[in-house]
Amino acid sequence: MTAPDERRFQVYPRGYVRDNVLLQVFRNHLRSLTNPDTGAAFTEDEIARATQPGSRFYIEADAIDVLGQMWQRRGAWFADQVRPTRANTAFLEGYHGELWLGSNPRLAATGGSGAVSAPASAGSVFPGSSTVPDPTGTAATATDPNGYRYQVLETVTTPAGGVATLQMQAIDTGDATNIALDTVLTWSTNQPVGAEPTASVSESPAFAGGYDEETDSELGARIERRIRHRPAGGNAAHFCAWAERASVSVEAAFVYPCAFHAGSVLVAVLQKRGATEGPTARTTVGVAVLAAVTGYLVPPASPVVPERAYVLVTACNPQTSDLVLRAALTEGATGGWADVDPWPAYSVTYPEVIVTGVASQQEFTVAAVAGSLPGGAGSLSGTDAPQLMLWDATTSRWKQLDVTSVTDDGGDQFTIVLGTAPDMTIATDCRLSPYTDRLDVLAESIEAYFDELGPGEVVDLDTDPRAPRAARYPRATNYYSSRAGQVMLARMIEALGGATADVELTSISRSEPDLPGDISDGPNIVVLGNVSIFPL
Amino acid sequence: MNVAGFTVAAPAQLADPSPLLCDNIDPETRDFASLTTGADPIDSQVEIALSRVRNSGPSVVYDGSRIREVKKMDDNAQDQARSLVKEALSRLVANRDIRHVGTTFDLWEVGSQSGQLRVQYVNLRAGNDLVRSVTLTMFGG
């Protein structure tokens, strides 16, 4: 790899000035002098001894070098402050942030939000407030098992069924407020008469949108985007900047000007992943996040957009993409394929080895090439059994299987029996691959690649008359590409380092998102679906 | 200090006197006077190795001695001093510049406030086998 062009000015390595002083100046000068003891010129040996490490001249020259290094370090440090993504906190907030984004540029932490089922007698009223925390103190609040507080956003009257569905948002902030499905919330204040003491997170997706305070690198990147895409007079870049300023949970905003008609704007937001697992972490935008962006951008309530504009804020709709990959890893080795003869291998007839039937979470069948078990065996068990892993599409990770036996059932069917059930739900359509202990490194690099993608278009750029205006801003060719493809391999090879010789993307079920049927639904985005990986 | 709205630390003041003293400069030739006068460069390095406090500055991280760390004139002090002298001269010995003959203790009494030790060596670069010595006086803490 070539060294990046780090500095626009010359920097000297430690010892450069010292050696310059000693070798070029000092030693050269000594050569012109006469040794008073011998009456002859100093010999090279004498000169070398007088200037060797530990000699006073060496120490003095080294001290000059150290002093120069100190001043050079200050120069390099100051040069770093010019670039927002390298500046330290004080310069970032006090200089770049103040200059480009105004005072207090850093976005505050937000709390997660989502739907909660609250059992109560019909007619009980859960008081809510869209201002969090409620200044009047009338909204009902609850706490989760960790003690974080949540507030009801809108007043809801319990229907005849006896269960009220409430939209709640965390009063406390941070990633920990993205509570999981079935988390129990205990009412703490303003519990309505007739309500049960607890409620629970009921609807999938669970709470989303809770995020810690904007980090230096996120703020630096936002400032750079602000510089690169100049917002002015409500142009597309201005809408992007407004949306990204509305909530710290917004990773990026994409603008489709005039998508509906002249004077209309469609804004699609992606949410930061944070600690959330799964392929839809960025597309499942929290209620409160969407409300914050909507409140900031949609007139007449918007503080920035004039009232005649028609603005619609949406999330992006995920469209999964299934991958078949082949990696050249060492076989039968740590850091490669665990088995000497990995099974199943890739074949054109069975490019994916798919679970066809599930008897229990410890026994299932897959379809693969008939008679393909290593050595043509009818059944392999114990230490002879192939080591396998199964793709968990809900978390985008492989799970290692504790294989007891693999039996060839004839035809293309194989029964796999496990010693223990894996930490996932085995269902038909799951993808089976031979096991490698690099499973998490591979999965994380694939996930990281898909997290670099952005949404596609909402109108057909080739045929639609709105295309010149309604194309996505920023353009997909500029950043946040909407196309998934070969670049993924570079990410995987980077992540694997020396462990792999090559990785091949054998097939990808979707490389580009479709146009949405209804623009109001927002654009589509390619997200990670099922992944199979085989030896190359 | 306040520079362009940013608070920066005041520049560090060097300890006085500076641990790295400048050479005398010949007023006529503007040469360092010690280039052609004074001690043999190896003898000078022995003196530096024993007198400079090791790691007292970034340029002498691996030069100088830690002999001043001997604070107590107890039973172990002689062994400790011997070992520290060996460490101080290790570069010159490894470089075949000197042969370390030994370390003797001229004035040394357990429990007293001071002691004097003599480091004897042969300058292998000087062309004769003369045993030279450096005397160090130590003060107990």
Side-chain angles (χ1 to χ4, degrees), chain B residues 13-24:
Chain B
Q13 295 298 317
L14 290 175
D16 191 32
S18 163
L20 297 164
L21 298 172
C22 287
D23 264 304
N24 286 329

Side-chain angles (χ1 to χ4, degrees), chain A residues 246-340:
Chain A
S247 167
V248 70
S249 297
V250 174
E251 178 188 319
F254 301 89
V255 177
Y256 303 84
C258 307
F260 304 97
H261 51 74
S264 68
V265 183
L266 174 66
V267 179
V269 293
L270 279 178
Q271 183 170 278
K272 285 176 185 167
R273 175 176 284 278
T276 313
E277 288 181 327
T280 57
R282 297 160 77 229
T283 54
T284 310
V285 180
V287 188
V289 178
L290 214 50
V293 180
T294 307
Y296 200 68
L297 291 185
V298 177
S302 167
V304 288
V305 181
E307 59 189 25
R308 287 178 300 282
Y310 174 75
V311 183
L312 187 69
V313 179
T314 68
C316 303
N317 301 305
Q319 291 190 312
T320 53
S321 176
D322 297 343
L323 311 176
V324 178
L325 296 157
R326 288 197 283 166
L329 303 170
T330 316
E331 289 168 356
T334 303
W337 299 111
D339 288 328
V340 177

Side-chain angles (χ1 to χ4, degrees), chain A residues 343-413:
Chain A
W343 182 87
Y346 174 78
S347 82
V348 181
T349 42
Y350 291 91
E352 294 174 301
V353 176
I354 298 175
V355 175
T356 51
V358 181
S360 74
Q361 286 301 301
Q362 286 175 246
E363 185 178 338
F364 59 94
T365 53
V366 296
V369 179
S372 63
L373 277 178
S379 178
L380 290 172
S381 60
T383 50
D384 293 337
Q387 300 186 59
L388 301 169
M389 59 188 188
L390 209 53
W391 179 256
D392 181 4
T394 57
T395 59
S396 300
R397 289 288 184 277
W398 276 289
K399 296 285 157 61
Q400 183 181 8
L401 299 180
D402 174 20
V403 183
T404 304
S405 68
V406 179
T407 308
D408 190 341
D409 298 339
D412 62 356
Q413 295 294 305

